[in-house]
Amino acid sequence: MAARRALHFVFKVGNRFQTARFYRDVLGMKVLRHEEFEEGCKAACNGPYDGKWSKTMVGFGPEDDHFVAELTYNYGVGDYKLGNDFMGITLASSQAVSNARKLEWPLTEVAEGVFETEAPGGYKFYLQNRSLPQSDPVLKVTLAVSDLQKSLNYWCNLLGMKIYEKDEEKQRALLGYADNQLELQGVKGGVDHAAAFGRIAFSCPQKELPDLEDLMKRENQKILTPLVSLDTPGKATVQVVILADPDGHEICFVGDEAFRELSKMDPEGSKLLDDAMAADKSDEWFAKHNKPKASG
């Protein structure tokens, strides 16, 4: 399992302008690449929507050695109902705290030197007011689970993750492959994904994908998308399998070799995003016709 690694978390966003401002100007992330698609993704990367959409990857550095965010935007959808499934991303960046204060982006100190803030759409981020030189500022993604032990059996025994920390009393555990990138937090009353549900992605050697799919079949686990090839115009074709854990969290495993090719940073990424936002007149159209955009 040493060759497996965490890649990104997928968010659905309704307001690209404000979202881009948050990730670029508040968090200080860079646009790594931006792509526009005319129809929905075969692996439902953009959710259960068939129309035009875009994907923007943002992070503190390339996906080869940084955990990043994938922002999916469905044209015509203005917002998505939040559930309790995604509990936040924690990152260490005194610069992000400073940026938020300067831009008057709301911050709430929830522990000494730790500030809670929200990306547009209500997604929570926890900013630690310190710097982490020479490494990725993103520390962990926290997901809600209804039965911690059942989830640990799935993530560790089936997906091969290692437990780094476990606190029975607080019903939480830190786990991962090469590092402790995933936190599972027990919640009462079940996990609700609503419409804003995201997806966490990992890579593994491509040859492991069929075996992973077979294992899930043998264990009667949910496979949302059987092994499929995904095309990006002018870029590498990648193979993916999409799974669901006991609480329905979507998990994408992608073939590492082709993904490293696909995920190379595009120096034009930021400009492509800005051009796409400038060309997207949907907000103006809905305002002019006095109609609200659809809710996801």
Side-chain angles (χ1 to χ4, degrees), residues 133-170:
Q134 306 302 315
S135 66
D136 184 3
V138 178
L139 303 178
K140 64 184 178 183
V141 179
T142 305
L143 301 180
V145 296
S146 58
D147 182 329
L148 182 60
Q149 194 50 54
K150 189 175 180 183
S151 294
L152 288 175
N153 286 338
Y154 180 90
W155 287 89
C156 299
N157 296 343
L158 297 182
L159 297 187
M161 282 193 174
K162 175 184 169 186
I163 298 175
Y164 289 88
E165 287 177 31
K166 188 179 176 188
D167 186 328
E168 291 281 3
E169 194 181 331
K170 292 182 178 172

mmCIF file of all heavy atoms in Angstrom, residues 133-170:
data_model
loop_
_atom_site.group_PDB
_atom_site.id
_atom_site.type_symbol
_atom_site.label_atom_id
_atom_site.label_comp_id
_atom_site.label_asym_id
_atom_site.label_seq_id
_atom_site.Cartn_x
_atom_site.Cartn_y
_atom_site.Cartn_z
ATOM 1 N N PRO A 133 7.141 25.024 6.919
ATOM 2 C CA PRO A 133 8.054 25.166 5.783
ATOM 3 C C PRO A 133 8.373 23.832 5.128
ATOM 4 O O PRO A 133 8.365 22.785 5.765
ATOM 5 C CB PRO A 133 9.316 25.758 6.425
ATOM 6 C CG PRO A 133 9.231 25.392 7.861
ATOM 7 C CD PRO A 133 7.781 25.291 8.192
ATOM 8 N N GLN A 134 8.622 23.884 3.833
ATOM 9 C CA GLN A 134 9.074 22.721 3.056
ATOM 10 C C GLN A 134 8.092 21.564 3.020
ATOM 11 O O GLN A 134 8.477 20.436 2.778
ATOM 12 C CB GLN A 134 10.422 22.207 3.598
ATOM 13 C CG GLN A 134 11.519 23.245 3.681
ATOM 14 C CD GLN A 134 11.824 23.888 2.336
ATOM 15 O OE1 GLN A 134 11.932 23.215 1.333
ATOM 16 N NE2 GLN A 134 11.939 25.209 2.314
ATOM 17 N N SER A 135 6.825 21.814 3.286
ATOM 18 C CA SER A 135 5.870 20.700 3.181
ATOM 19 C C SER A 135 4.506 21.248 2.814
ATOM 20 O O SER A 135 4.332 22.444 2.613
ATOM 21 C CB SER A 135 5.809 19.916 4.493
ATOM 22 O OG SER A 135 5.262 20.722 5.510
ATOM 23 N N ASP A 136 3.546 20.360 2.735
ATOM 24 C CA ASP A 136 2.198 20.754 2.341
ATOM 25 C C ASP A 136 1.452 21.331 3.548
ATOM 26 O O ASP A 136 1.330 20.657 4.576
ATOM 27 C CB ASP A 136 1.463 19.509 1.809
ATOM 28 C CG ASP A 136 0.086 19.823 1.270
ATOM 29 O OD1 ASP A 136 -0.294 21.005 1.239
ATOM 30 O OD2 ASP A 136 -0.616 18.879 0.870
ATOM 31 N N PRO A 137 0.946 22.559 3.455
ATOM 32 C CA PRO A 137 0.188 23.134 4.576
ATOM 33 C C PRO A 137 -1.104 22.370 4.905
ATOM 34 O O PRO A 137 -1.604 22.482 6.018
ATOM 35 C CB PRO A 137 -0.146 24.556 4.100
ATOM 36 C CG PRO A 137 0.892 24.863 3.071
ATOM 37 C CD PRO A 137 1.178 23.561 2.389
ATOM 38 N N VAL A 138 -1.654 21.613 3.932
ATOM 39 C CA VAL A 138 -2.897 20.874 4.209
ATOM 40 C C VAL A 138 -2.565 19.685 5.104
ATOM 41 O O VAL A 138 -1.763 18.821 4.749
ATOM 42 C CB VAL A 138 -3.579 20.399 2.908
ATOM 43 C CG1 VAL A 138 -4.831 19.589 3.244
ATOM 44 C CG2 VAL A 138 -3.946 21.594 2.034
ATOM 45 N N LEU A 139 -3.187 19.643 6.282
ATOM 46 C CA LEU A 139 -2.867 18.621 7.279
ATOM 47 C C LEU A 139 -3.826 17.439 7.251
ATOM 48 O O LEU A 139 -3.412 16.296 7.375
ATOM 49 C CB LEU A 139 -2.874 19.241 8.682
ATOM 50 C CG LEU A 139 -1.919 20.429 8.888
ATOM 51 C CD1 LEU A 139 -2.070 20.975 10.304
ATOM 52 C CD2 LEU A 139 -0.477 20.025 8.626
ATOM 53 N N LYS A 140 -5.119 17.721 7.119
ATOM 54 C CA LYS A 140 -6.083 16.605 7.145
ATOM 55 C C LYS A 140 -7.440 17.032 6.614
ATOM 56 O O LYS A 140 -7.791 18.213 6.612
ATOM 57 C CB LYS A 140 -6.241 16.061 8.567
ATOM 58 C CG LYS A 140 -6.839 17.071 9.549
ATOM 59 C CD LYS A 140 -6.888 16.524 10.968
ATOM 60 C CE LYS A 140 -7.448 17.573 11.937
ATOM 61 N NZ LYS A 140 -7.449 17.127 13.330
ATOM 62 N N VAL A 141 -8.192 16.037 6.169
ATOM 63 C CA VAL A 141 -9.609 16.176 5.800
ATOM 64 C C VAL A 141 -10.398 15.397 6.841
ATOM 65 O O VAL A 141 -10.037 14.252 7.157
ATOM 66 C CB VAL A 141 -9.895 15.551 4.416
ATOM 67 C CG1 VAL A 141 -11.368 15.679 4.063
ATOM 68 C CG2 VAL A 141 -9.042 16.194 3.350
ATOM 69 N N THR A 142 -11.449 15.979 7.383
ATOM 70 C CA THR A 142 -12.253 15.303 8.405
ATOM 71 C C THR A 142 -13.627 14.943 7.848
ATOM 72 O O THR A 142 -14.343 15.806 7.341
ATOM 73 C CB THR A 142 -12.424 16.193 9.655
ATOM 74 O OG1 THR A 142 -11.128 16.578 10.127
ATOM 75 C CG2 THR A 142 -13.153 15.450 10.763
ATOM 76 N N LEU A 143 -13.965 13.657 7.933
ATOM 77 C CA LEU A 143 -15.263 13.166 7.459
ATOM 78 C C LEU A 143 -16.037 12.568 8.632
ATOM 79 O O LEU A 143 -15.452 11.948 9.527
ATOM 80 C CB LEU A 143 -15.073 12.094 6.380
ATOM 81 C CG LEU A 143 -14.300 12.509 5.116
ATOM 82 C CD1 LEU A 143 -14.197 11.328 4.154
ATOM 83 C CD2 LEU A 143 -14.966 13.692 4.426
ATOM 84 N N ALA A 144 -17.352 12.744 8.602
ATOM 85 C CA ALA A 144 -18.220 12.200 9.647
ATOM 86 C C ALA A 144 -18.523 10.727 9.372
ATOM 87 O O ALA A 144 -18.722 10.328 8.220
ATOM 88 C CB ALA A 144 -19.532 12.988 9.701
ATOM 89 N N VAL A 145 -18.541 9.928 10.434
ATOM 90 C CA VAL A 145 -18.922 8.515 10.309
ATOM 91 C C VAL A 145 -19.910 8.175 11.421
ATOM 92 O O VAL A 145 -19.892 8.769 12.497
ATOM 93 C CB VAL A 145 -17.694 7.569 10.382
ATOM 94 C CG1 VAL A 145 -16.760 7.816 9.201
ATOM 95 C CG2 VAL A 145 -16.924 7.719 11.692
ATOM 96 N N SER A 146 -20.779 7.208 11.147
ATOM 97 C CA SER A 146 -21.797 6.861 12.141
ATOM 98 C C SER A 146 -21.328 5.758 13.095
ATOM 99 O O SER A 146 -21.846 5.614 14.192
ATOM 100 C CB SER A 146 -23.085 6.418 11.435
ATOM 101 O OG SER A 146 -22.812 5.317 10.583
ATOM 102 N N ASP A 147 -20.351 4.959 12.656
ATOM 103 C CA ASP A 147 -19.826 3.859 13.476
ATOM 104 C C ASP A 147 -18.321 3.788 13.218
ATOM 105 O O ASP A 147 -17.877 3.249 12.201
ATOM 106 C CB ASP A 147 -20.519 2.551 13.074
ATOM 107 C CG ASP A 147 -20.070 1.362 13.913
ATOM 108 O OD1 ASP A 147 -18.905 1.344 14.350
ATOM 109 O OD2 ASP A 147 -20.883 0.428 14.101
ATOM 110 N N LEU A 148 -17.542 4.345 14.154
ATOM 111 C CA LEU A 148 -16.104 4.490 13.923
ATOM 112 C C LEU A 148 -15.428 3.140 13.671
ATOM 113 O O LEU A 148 -14.613 3.009 12.756
ATOM 114 C CB LEU A 148 -15.444 5.199 15.117
ATOM 115 C CG LEU A 148 -13.937 5.457 14.977
ATOM 116 C CD1 LEU A 148 -13.625 6.329 13.772
ATOM 117 C CD2 LEU A 148 -13.376 6.082 16.246
ATOM 118 N N GLN A 149 -15.762 2.128 14.460
ATOM 119 C CA GLN A 149 -15.083 0.839 14.303
ATOM 120 C C GLN A 149 -15.390 0.210 12.947
ATOM 121 O O GLN A 149 -14.515 -0.335 12.283
ATOM 122 C CB GLN A 149 -15.466 -0.118 15.438
ATOM 123 C CG GLN A 149 -14.549 -1.340 15.523
ATOM 124 C CD GLN A 149 -13.057 -0.982 15.514
ATOM 125 O OE1 GLN A 149 -12.594 -0.175 16.325
ATOM 126 N NE2 GLN A 149 -12.294 -1.557 14.579
ATOM 127 N N LYS A 150 -16.646 0.316 12.541
ATOM 128 C CA LYS A 150 -17.048 -0.234 11.234
ATOM 129 C C LYS A 150 -16.294 0.486 10.112
ATOM 130 O O LYS A 150 -15.827 -0.129 9.145
ATOM 131 C CB LYS A 150 -18.561 -0.052 11.060
ATOM 132 C CG LYS A 150 -19.147 -0.768 9.862
ATOM 133 C CD LYS A 150 -20.665 -0.620 9.868
ATOM 134 C CE LYS A 150 -21.280 -1.316 8.680
ATOM 135 N NZ LYS A 150 -22.758 -1.124 8.638
ATOM 136 N N SER A 151 -16.159 1.812 10.252
ATOM 137 C CA SER A 151 -15.442 2.598 9.247
ATOM 138 C C SER A 151 -13.963 2.241 9.223
ATOM 139 O O SER A 151 -13.356 2.130 8.149
ATOM 140 C CB SER A 151 -15.614 4.096 9.502
ATOM 141 O OG SER A 151 -16.959 4.467 9.316
ATOM 142 N N LEU A 152 -13.356 2.053 10.403
ATOM 143 C CA LEU A 152 -11.945 1.687 10.459
ATOM 144 C C LEU A 152 -11.707 0.323 9.825
ATOM 145 O O LEU A 152 -10.695 0.105 9.146
ATOM 146 C CB LEU A 152 -11.446 1.699 11.907
ATOM 147 C CG LEU A 152 -11.297 3.086 12.540
ATOM 148 C CD1 LEU A 152 -10.904 2.966 14.012
ATOM 149 C CD2 LEU A 152 -10.276 3.931 11.788
ATOM 150 N N ASN A 153 -12.642 -0.602 10.029
ATOM 151 C CA ASN A 153 -12.524 -1.910 9.384
ATOM 152 C C ASN A 153 -12.476 -1.747 7.869
ATOM 153 O O ASN A 153 -11.690 -2.399 7.180
ATOM 154 C CB ASN A 153 -13.701 -2.822 9.762
ATOM 155 C CG ASN A 153 -13.586 -3.342 11.185
ATOM 156 O OD1 ASN A 153 -12.489 -3.384 11.745
ATOM 157 N ND2 ASN A 153 -14.698 -3.728 11.774
ATOM 158 N N TYR A 154 -13.315 -0.855 7.363
ATOM 159 C CA TYR A 154 -13.383 -0.642 5.903
ATOM 160 C C TYR A 154 -12.102 0.027 5.402
ATOM 161 O O TYR A 154 -11.433 -0.473 4.498
ATOM 162 C CB TYR A 154 -14.603 0.226 5.574
ATOM 163 C CG TYR A 154 -14.760 0.515 4.096
ATOM 164 C CD1 TYR A 154 -15.504 -0.332 3.285
ATOM 165 C CD2 TYR A 154 -14.162 1.631 3.508
ATOM 166 C CE1 TYR A 154 -15.647 -0.075 1.929
ATOM 167 C CE2 TYR A 154 -14.291 1.894 2.157
ATOM 168 C CZ TYR A 154 -15.044 1.035 1.377
ATOM 169 O OH TYR A 154 -15.169 1.293 0.023
ATOM 170 N N TRP A 155 -11.768 1.172 5.999
ATOM 171 C CA TRP A 155 -10.648 1.967 5.493
ATOM 172 C C TRP A 155 -9.305 1.271 5.714
ATOM 173 O O TRP A 155 -8.382 1.411 4.901
ATOM 174 C CB TRP A 155 -10.642 3.348 6.157
ATOM 175 C CG TRP A 155 -11.737 4.249 5.670
ATOM 176 C CD1 TRP A 155 -13.004 4.355 6.184
ATOM 177 C CD2 TRP A 155 -11.683 5.166 4.572
ATOM 178 N NE1 TRP A 155 -13.734 5.276 5.476
ATOM 179 C CE2 TRP A 155 -12.937 5.796 4.478
ATOM 180 C CE3 TRP A 155 -10.685 5.525 3.661
ATOM 181 C CZ2 TRP A 155 -13.239 6.756 3.519
ATOM 182 C CZ3 TRP A 155 -10.978 6.493 2.703
ATOM 183 C CH2 TRP A 155 -12.248 7.095 2.635
ATOM 184 N N CYS A 156 -9.183 0.528 6.803
ATOM 185 C CA CYS A 156 -7.892 -0.120 7.112
ATOM 186 C C CYS A 156 -7.811 -1.534 6.539
ATOM 187 O O CYS A 156 -6.862 -1.871 5.832
ATOM 188 C CB CYS A 156 -7.659 -0.146 8.613
ATOM 189 S SG CYS A 156 -7.597 1.522 9.319
ATOM 190 N N ASN A 157 -8.815 -2.365 6.831
ATOM 191 C CA ASN A 157 -8.739 -3.771 6.404
ATOM 192 C C ASN A 157 -8.963 -3.940 4.905
ATOM 193 O O ASN A 157 -8.358 -4.822 4.285
ATOM 194 C CB ASN A 157 -9.744 -4.626 7.182
ATOM 195 C CG ASN A 157 -9.429 -4.656 8.672
ATOM 196 O OD1 ASN A 157 -8.316 -4.322 9.068
ATOM 197 N ND2 ASN A 157 -10.397 -5.031 9.481
ATOM 198 N N LEU A 158 -9.819 -3.114 4.315
ATOM 199 C CA LEU A 158 -10.098 -3.259 2.883
ATOM 200 C C LEU A 158 -9.256 -2.314 2.028
ATOM 201 O O LEU A 158 -8.748 -2.707 0.983
ATOM 202 C CB LEU A 158 -11.591 -3.031 2.591
ATOM 203 C CG LEU A 158 -12.561 -4.025 3.236
ATOM 204 C CD1 LEU A 158 -13.995 -3.720 2.816
ATOM 205 C CD2 LEU A 158 -12.200 -5.455 2.844
ATOM 206 N N LEU A 159 -9.119 -1.064 2.476
ATOM 207 C CA LEU A 159 -8.375 -0.093 1.669
ATOM 208 C C LEU A 159 -6.901 0.010 2.069
ATOM 209 O O LEU A 159 -6.125 0.696 1.404
ATOM 210 C CB LEU A 159 -9.043 1.290 1.746
ATOM 211 C CG LEU A 159 -10.464 1.374 1.187
ATOM 212 C CD1 LEU A 159 -10.942 2.816 1.177
ATOM 213 C CD2 LEU A 159 -10.560 0.783 -0.214
ATOM 214 N N GLY A 160 -6.537 -0.655 3.152
ATOM 215 C CA GLY A 160 -5.122 -0.760 3.493
ATOM 216 C C GLY A 160 -4.508 0.448 4.170
ATOM 217 O O GLY A 160 -3.287 0.618 4.160
ATOM 218 N N MET A 161 -5.328 1.291 4.786
ATOM 219 C CA MET A 161 -4.771 2.448 5.485
ATOM 220 C C MET A 161 -4.228 2.060 6.859
ATOM 221 O O MET A 161 -4.624 1.056 7.437
ATOM 222 C CB MET A 161 -5.839 3.531 5.667
ATOM 223 C CG MET A 161 -6.080 4.336 4.416
ATOM 224 S SD MET A 161 -7.054 5.802 4.791
ATOM 225 C CE MET A 161 -7.007 6.604 3.191
ATOM 226 N N LYS A 162 -3.336 2.909 7.352
ATOM 227 C CA LYS A 162 -2.726 2.706 8.667
ATOM 228 C C LYS A 162 -3.348 3.700 9.647
ATOM 229 O O LYS A 162 -3.612 4.853 9.280
ATOM 230 C CB LYS A 162 -1.220 2.964 8.523
ATOM 231 C CG LYS A 162 -0.421 2.915 9.803
ATOM 232 C CD LYS A 162 1.031 3.287 9.509
ATOM 233 C CE LYS A 162 1.804 3.502 10.796
ATOM 234 N NZ LYS A 162 3.161 3.986 10.554
ATOM 235 N N ILE A 163 -3.581 3.273 10.883
ATOM 236 C CA ILE A 163 -4.090 4.172 11.928
ATOM 237 C C ILE A 163 -2.905 4.858 12.606
ATOM 238 O O ILE A 163 -1.992 4.192 13.097
ATOM 239 C CB ILE A 163 -4.930 3.413 12.972
ATOM 240 C CG1 ILE A 163 -6.159 2.788 12.313
ATOM 241 C CG2 ILE A 163 -5.364 4.360 14.097
ATOM 242 C CD1 ILE A 163 -6.981 1.912 13.235
ATOM 243 N N TYR A 164 -2.923 6.183 12.623
ATOM 244 C CA TYR A 164 -1.853 6.950 13.270
ATOM 245 C C TYR A 164 -2.235 7.360 14.686
ATOM 246 O O TYR A 164 -1.383 7.417 15.565
ATOM 247 C CB TYR A 164 -1.514 8.195 12.440
ATOM 248 C CG TYR A 164 -0.799 7.868 11.154
ATOM 249 C CD1 TYR A 164 -1.512 7.577 9.990
ATOM 250 C CD2 TYR A 164 0.584 7.833 11.092
ATOM 251 C CE1 TYR A 164 -0.859 7.263 8.808
ATOM 252 C CE2 TYR A 164 1.257 7.528 9.920
ATOM 253 C CZ TYR A 164 0.524 7.238 8.775
ATOM 254 O OH TYR A 164 1.175 6.923 7.610
ATOM 255 N N GLU A 165 -3.502 7.687 14.877
ATOM 256 C CA GLU A 165 -4.007 8.060 16.214
ATOM 257 C C GLU A 165 -5.431 7.568 16.329
ATOM 258 O O GLU A 165 -6.159 7.525 15.337
ATOM 259 C CB GLU A 165 -4.033 9.587 16.388
ATOM 260 C CG GLU A 165 -2.708 10.269 16.564
ATOM 261 C CD GLU A 165 -2.885 11.792 16.638
ATOM 262 O OE1 GLU A 165 -3.946 12.259 17.131
ATOM 263 O OE2 GLU A 165 -1.975 12.500 16.181
ATOM 264 N N LYS A 166 -5.829 7.228 17.553
ATOM 265 C CA LYS A 166 -7.218 6.811 17.785
ATOM 266 C C LYS A 166 -7.637 7.253 19.176
ATOM 267 O O LYS A 166 -6.879 7.065 20.137
ATOM 268 C CB LYS A 166 -7.355 5.298 17.630
ATOM 269 C CG LYS A 166 -8.785 4.793 17.673
ATOM 270 C CD LYS A 166 -8.813 3.287 17.477
ATOM 271 C CE LYS A 166 -10.220 2.744 17.610
ATOM 272 N NZ LYS A 166 -10.241 1.272 17.615
ATOM 273 N N ASP A 167 -8.806 7.874 19.277
ATOM 274 C CA ASP A 167 -9.318 8.342 20.559
ATOM 275 C C ASP A 167 -10.751 7.829 20.704
ATOM 276 O O ASP A 167 -11.682 8.368 20.110
ATOM 277 C CB ASP A 167 -9.289 9.878 20.607
ATOM 278 C CG ASP A 167 -9.664 10.429 21.979
ATOM 279 O OD1 ASP A 167 -10.488 9.802 22.675
ATOM 280 O OD2 ASP A 167 -9.151 11.509 22.348
ATOM 281 N N GLU A 168 -10.898 6.732 21.466
ATOM 282 C CA GLU A 168 -12.220 6.104 21.639
ATOM 283 C C GLU A 168 -13.212 7.072 22.281
ATOM 284 O O GLU A 168 -14.375 7.137 21.901
ATOM 285 C CB GLU A 168 -12.100 4.843 22.503
ATOM 286 C CG GLU A 168 -11.377 3.698 21.836
ATOM 287 C CD GLU A 168 -12.243 2.926 20.854
ATOM 288 O OE1 GLU A 168 -13.401 3.321 20.638
ATOM 289 O OE2 GLU A 168 -11.744 1.938 20.284
ATOM 290 N N GLU A 169 -12.702 7.825 23.272
ATOM 291 C CA GLU A 169 -13.584 8.729 24.012
ATOM 292 C C GLU A 169 -14.175 9.800 23.094
ATOM 293 O O GLU A 169 -15.371 10.091 23.139
ATOM 294 C CB GLU A 169 -12.813 9.382 25.160
ATOM 295 C CG GLU A 169 -13.724 10.057 26.180
ATOM 296 C CD GLU A 169 -12.916 10.719 27.295
ATOM 297 O OE1 GLU A 169 -11.810 10.252 27.599
ATOM 298 O OE2 GLU A 169 -13.426 11.711 27.842
ATOM 299 N N LYS A 170 -13.331 10.383 22.254
ATOM 300 C CA LYS A 170 -13.806 11.424 21.336
ATOM 301 C C LYS A 170 -14.312 10.856 20.018
ATOM 302 O O LYS A 170 -14.729 11.604 19.136
ATOM 303 C CB LYS A 170 -12.678 12.426 21.066
ATOM 304 C CG LYS A 170 -12.311 13.264 22.279
ATOM 305 C CD LYS A 170 -11.240 14.266 21.945
ATOM 306 C CE LYS A 170 -10.924 15.136 23.160
ATOM 307 N NZ LYS A 170 -9.758 16.002 22.940
#
